[in-house]
């Protein structure tokens, strides 16, 4: 796998673009802290961008199945770079409205880019290498997040927000350049397949229904999203609760490093445990990490909570991604990953708005208890419901 130049191109491009992404995200949080006092209004602003991604999702899925993945990734990468210009306008004018335009454009571009990327990975590595590739790819993304947030914290002191976004723009352009060098062996799309792809999700849903393990995995991914959906708002709230701006960097760093350890650990776990054992176990632990945030006024325990969460999702998501890539037929990958992207965004919106509202009404600590109990209850219900179903078989992927 390491002799495959496509692997290096994807990983290097992801790392550079990830640095730019997290420079922008920290910049977004800083801008909103200055301009938007209400947590709920922060959530509404972020949700508007997610809604744009959901709206374009069905079309993005059709395009990804009809057009070469490389082409989709290049065009989407250029769109992400162009969107940064509108954030620069927002900073210069002090207008939150221009930030909303920026969020709409960048989320629309992401609705095309990420399904194409997920569909491209099985085309550049062998099936037995997928779990390892997914874990490494997520680790590279996480490493860029850890370094990006740390660098952003330093840059906030050293330079203006505009300069940070210019650096973010440069990172997106570098990603586009790297993508040009991809050499993906994509089969020619037949007329029959093109006509099926044009029908959107109509042909996808019967396929999903015939794959119970895929349906179950889709449902189980909702549990970590209960935490991730309001992640940035939680970080802001903890920072304000402790009156400590630096805690944001510590939280992102702890969660990111733990995610990387988890993504390396999951390959060994998968040799002895079925994918569903891994999913249910770490889904339950995610609930425990949410309960730990009841002690968010303690810097140590708040960092520990995010570290536990990071390790859990580091094991959870590579396993889920490998199930999707191996069980769903490749000709449906574009629409499937677009559908999953839409589902994630819808859950994100609901959780984001709910998190903002609950932070305003009952506060961080009581909200964490409610979300933790919900996550553990959902996990327990599905575990006892599906443990009796013999069709949930171990994932047939060689991890040797």
């Amino acid at each position: 796998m390491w002799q495959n130049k496509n692997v290096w191109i994807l990983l290097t491009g992801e790392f550079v673009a990830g640095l730019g992404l997290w420079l922008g995200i920290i910049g977004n949080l800083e801008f909103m802290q200055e301009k938007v006092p209400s947590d709920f209004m922060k959530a509404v602003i972020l949700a508007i961008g997610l809604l744009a991604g959901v709206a374009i999702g069905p079309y993005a899925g059709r395009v990804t199945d009809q057009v070469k993945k490389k082409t989709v990734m290049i065009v989407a990468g250029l769109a992400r770079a162009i969107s940064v210009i509108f954030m620069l306008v927002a900073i210069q004018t002090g207008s939150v409205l221009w930030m909303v335009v920026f969020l709409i454009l960048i989320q629309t571009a992401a609705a095309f880019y990420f399904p194409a990327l997920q569909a491209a990975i099985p085309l550049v590595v062998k099936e037995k290498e997928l779990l390892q590739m997914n874990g490494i790819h997520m680790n590279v993304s996480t490493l860029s997040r850890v370094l990006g947030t740390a660098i952003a914290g330093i840059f906030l002191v050293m330079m203006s927000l505009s300069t940070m976004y210019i650096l973010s723009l440069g990172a997106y352009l570098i990603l586009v350049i790297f993508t040009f060098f991809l050499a993906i062996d994509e089969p020619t799309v037949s007329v029959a397949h093109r006509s099926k792809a044009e029908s959107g999700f109509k042909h996808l849903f019967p396929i999903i229904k015939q794959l119970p393990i895929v349906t179950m995995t889709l449902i189980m991914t909702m549990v970590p999203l209960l935490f991730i959906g309001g992640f940035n708002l939680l970080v802001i709230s903890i920072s304000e609760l402790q009156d400590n701006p630096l805690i944001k960097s510590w939280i992102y760093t702890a969660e990111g490093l733990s995610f990387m350890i988890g993504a390396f650990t999951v390959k060994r776990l998968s040799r002895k445990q079925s994918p569903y054992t891994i999913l249910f176990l770490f889904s339950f632990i995610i609930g425990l990490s949410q309960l730990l945030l009841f002690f968010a006024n303690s810097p140590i325990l708040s960092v520990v909570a995010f570290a536990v969460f990071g390790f859990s999702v580091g094991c959870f998501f590579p396993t889920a991604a490998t199930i999707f890539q191996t069980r769903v037929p490749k000709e449906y990958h574009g629409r499937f990953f677009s559908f999953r992207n839409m589902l994630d965004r819808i859950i994100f919106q609901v959780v984001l708005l709910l998190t903002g509202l609950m932070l305003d009404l009952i506060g961080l600590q009581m909200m964490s208890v409610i979300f933790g109990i919900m996550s553990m209850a959902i996990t327990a219900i599905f575990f006892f419901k599906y443990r009796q179903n013999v069709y949930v078989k171990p994932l047939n992927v060689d991890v040797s």
Side-chain angles (χ1 to χ4, degrees):
M1 188 181 79
W2 294 115
Q3 297 176 351
N4 186 338
K5 73 170 186 177
N6 288 319
V7 170
W8 286 102
I9 290 171
L10 284 175
L11 295 180
T12 306
E14 178 66 27
F15 178 75
V16 174
L19 289 176
L21 173 67
W22 283 94
L23 284 175
I25 288 176
I26 297 300
N28 292 346
L29 299 180
E30 185 71 16
F31 185 79
M32 285 195 297
Q33 276 190 283
E34 293 178 2
K35 305 295 182 181
V36 185
S38 168
D39 287 320
F40 181 68
M41 287 308 299
K42 291 186 183 80
V44 170
I45 291 169
L46 294 174
I48 290 173
L50 294 175
L51 180 61
V54 172
I56 202 69
Y59 178 71
R62 291 197 300 271
V63 170
T64 304
D65 279 334
Q66 293 175 25
V67 182
K68 290 184 178 297
K69 312 299 182 289
K70 176 180 175 179
T71 303
V72 175
M73 292 168 67
I74 290 173
V75 174
L78 286 172
R80 290 169 79 185
I82 293 171
S83 69
V84 178
I85 296 173
F86 292 93
M87 191 62 209
L88 293 173
V89 174
I91 294 171
Q92 292 300 315
T93 61
S95 171
V96 176
L97 183 60
W98 282 112
M99 179 184 184
V100 171
V101 175
F102 158 72
L103 291 172
I104 290 173
L105 290 178
I106 200 167
Q107 291 292 346
T108 299
F112 285 89
Y113 182 83
F114 289 108
L117 174 63
Q118 286 296 313
I121 289 176
L123 299 176
V124 301
V125 298
K126 298 176 182 178
E127 184 171 309
K128 67 180 181 179
E129 299 169 339
L130 271 177
L131 183 60
Q132 182 182 13
M133 178 60 182
N134 285 319
I136 293 171
H137 182 265
M138 292 180 184
N139 269 344
V140 168
S141 177
T142 304
L143 179 61
S144 68
R145 172 155 56 90
V146 172
L147 293 178
T149 53
I151 293 171
I154 297 172
F155 282 0
L156 282 174
V157 179
M158 295 175 54
M159 63 183 64
S160 66
L161 274 180
S162 295
T163 305
M164 282 182 56
Y165 279 101
I166 291 172
L167 293 175
S168 178
L169 170 61
Y172 289 143
L173 291 175
I174 291 173
L175 172 64
V176 173
I177 294 171
F178 272 100
T179 307
F180 268 108
F181 292 98
L182 277 176
I184 304 176
D185 185 18
E186 298 190 55
T188 303
V189 180
S190 66
V191 175
H193 171 60
R194 186 180 294 274
S195 64
K196 284 186 177 181
E198 288 171 352
S199 66
F201 294 152
K202 180 180 178 181
H203 287 79
L204 174 65
F205 293 138
I207 297 297
I208 295 177
K209 289 180 181 179
Q210 295 171 12
L211 300 169
I213 190 170
V214 172
T215 304
M216 264 300 303
T217 307
L218 276 173
I219 295 172
M220 290 305 301
T221 55
M222 295 181 185
V223 173
L225 292 180
L226 277 176
F227 198 120
I228 298 173
F231 196 98
N232 291 330
L233 291 180
L234 293 176
V235 173
I236 293 174
S237 182
I238 291 172
S239 175
E240 293 172 349
L241 179 67
Q242 298 179 10
D243 192 22
N244 180 11
L246 291 178
I247 195 66
K248 291 198 287 285
S249 293
W250 283 108
I251 286 174
Y252 281 121
T253 301
E255 189 271 338
L257 291 175
S258 298
F259 182 98
M260 295 173 64
I261 295 171
F264 278 120
T265 303
V266 71
K267 183 180 178 182
R268 293 187 177 183
L269 288 176
S270 66
R271 294 171 181 167
K272 300 179 181 179
Q273 303 293 336
S274 73
Y276 267 78
T277 299
I278 295 173
L279 295 181
F280 281 118
L281 172 63
F282 289 105
S283 177
F284 187 81
I285 295 176
I286 288 168
L288 290 177
S289 68
Q290 289 173 310
L291 289 178
L292 265 179
L293 286 181
F294 179 76
F295 306 101
N297 55 342
S298 166
I300 294 176
L301 289 179
S302 58
V303 170
V304 168
F306 279 89
V308 171
F309 171 75
F311 182 84
S312 299
V313 295
C315 294
F316 187 101
F317 280 128
T319 304
T322 305
I323 291 173
F324 295 145
Q325 291 164 347
T326 55
R327 295 301 176 89
V328 177
K330 285 185 173 62
E331 60 267 26
Y332 293 93
H333 275 185
R335 279 161 290 167
F336 174 79
F337 288 114
S338 180
F339 171 72
R340 188 199 169 189
N341 197 28
M342 286 175 60
L343 186 63
D344 287 351
R345 286 166 183 269
I346 291 171
I347 298 171
F348 260 75
Q349 285 181 308
V350 174
V351 174
L352 185 60
L353 293 172
L354 186 60
T355 300
L357 182 61
M358 294 181 72
L359 284 173
D360 282 343
L361 294 179
I362 63 175
L364 169 67
Q365 292 162 303
M366 288 306 301
M367 185 202 73
S368 300
V369 172
I370 293 172
F371 276 12
I373 292 174
M374 285 175 59
S375 296
M376 295 170 69
I378 291 171
T379 303
I381 290 170
F382 281 112
F383 175 75
F384 288 113
K385 181 177 179 180
Y386 285 92
R387 67 181 298 189
Q388 299 176 353
N389 293 343
V390 295
Y391 62 72
V392 180
K393 301 176 181 178
L395 179 62
N396 186 25
V397 176
D398 183 1
V399 293
S400 60

